């Protein structure tokens, strides 16, 4: 900067322009409520993670087991003169439960029984299943023996269970 004239003066200052941080969080989720911890990532490493479900603020470990079904905001913050922050909403969906209620043993003279499971909406399969939707099992139809029955709930958070029924 210069001031002209008889009593003028000048001065010089150095200006440093630093690169700004980029805290953009990479897309993540949705997760199932029974999903093990997942490490979240951002464009620039070295920031701090916060919000419900964050199990480790330095690594970005998110635990859907800790929060359960719902939507959660996680925040990634890079501090400093040119710091930045970003927020991501993570969806956690309910996990299906295909646990089959124990059944049997049955006599081979029994026409049919209805099998049940903890969660609904799945399909039954295996020898002796006469209705895949309702879970009807026919001991008379398969005869004596041990029969593996599978119940499967499909979808992004599906589940499946297998039992052995003795006739």
């Amino acid at each position: 900067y210069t001031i002209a004239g008889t009593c003028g003066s000048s001065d010089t200052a150095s200006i440093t322009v630093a690169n700004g941080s980029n805290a953009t969080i990479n897309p993540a989720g949705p997760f199932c409520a029974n999903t093990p911890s997942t490490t979240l990532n951002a464009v620039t490493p070295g920031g701090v993670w916060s919000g419900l479900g964050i199990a480790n603020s330095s690594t970005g470990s998110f635990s859907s087991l800790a929060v359960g079904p719902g939507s959660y905001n996680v925040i990634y913050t890079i501090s400093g003169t040119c710091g930045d922050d970003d927020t991501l909403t993570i969806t956690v969906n309910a996990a299906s439960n295909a646990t089959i209620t124990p059944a049997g043993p049955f006599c081979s003279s029994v026409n049919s029984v209805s099998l049940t499971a903890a969660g609904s909406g799945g399909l039954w399969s295996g020898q002796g299943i006469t209705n895949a939707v309702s879970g009807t099992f026919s001991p008379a139809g398969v005869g004596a023996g041990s029969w593996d029955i599978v119940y499967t709930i499909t979808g992004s958070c599906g589940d499946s269970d297998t039992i052995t029924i003795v006739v």
Side-chain angles (χ1 to χ4, degrees), residues 70-139:
S71 293
Y72 304 94
N73 288 331
V74 294
I75 302 161
Y76 182 68
T77 305
I78 301 172
S79 56
T81 304
C82 297
D84 192 19
D85 62 73
D86 190 24
T87 301
L88 176 69
T89 301
I90 295 178
T91 300
V92 177
N93 295 318
S96 298
N97 183 353
T99 302
I100 300 171
T101 304
F106 298 108
C107 295
S108 61
S109 60
V110 174
N111 285 330
S112 64
V113 294
S114 292
L115 302 177
T116 59
S120 62
L123 293 175
W124 297 88
S125 62
Q127 293 290 325
I129 295 294
T130 58
N131 187 315
V133 175
S134 67
T136 304
F137 175 77
S138 174

Side-chain angles (χ1 to χ4, degrees), residues 133-160:
V133 175
S134 67
T136 304
F137 175 77
S138 174
V142 292
S146 295
W147 309 101
D148 287 336
I149 303 300
V150 178
Y151 181 65
T152 304
I153 302 172
T154 58
S156 62
C157 295
D159 191 24
S160 121

